[in-house]
Amino acid sequence: LYIGREEDAPEIALPNNPELNWRLVACEGKPLSTITDYIKEHDIELTAMVNRPNRGLFGRLRGNINDQVLRHSSKPMILLPAI
């Protein structure tokens, strides 16, 4: 799930595995509610997100979007390191 305009979404290569259901979706909106609503509405079993370090004091206090999604979703989540 990319938050923003579809034409601005990065190109990614999705794995070719018939046993897994992968898709890239672009939605506009506030990141937390857009992600958690999408997880609920589409009964997502596992959410994978890229983990980037918090920026600045406010970012550390607020927590990044991964922290917020983890607190607001009842589904499992895997964090992948940014490269």
Side-chain angles (χ1 to χ4, degrees), residues 6-49:
E6 187 171 353
E7 57 268 19
D8 295 334
E11 289 187 34
I12 61 170
L14 299 175
N16 186 12
N17 183 334
E19 296 179 18
L20 300 174
N21 184 9
W22 296 88
R23 62 187 172 270
L24 176 61
V25 177
C27 296
E28 293 187 49
K30 294 182 179 180
L32 178 60
S33 59
T34 302
I35 294 168
T36 55
D37 290 349
Y38 192 90
I39 291 169
K40 289 176 192 171
E41 292 168 10
H42 294 87
D43 196 28
I44 302 298
E45 294 179 22
L46 174 66
T47 302
M49 296 181 74

Side-chain angles (χ1 to χ4, degrees), residues 58-72:
F58 181 72
R60 284 190 285 270
L61 292 173
R62 177 180 49 88
N64 64 25
I65 193 66
N66 297 336
D67 298 332
Q68 295 175 40
V69 171
L70 187 59
R71 286 193 299 263
H72 289 88

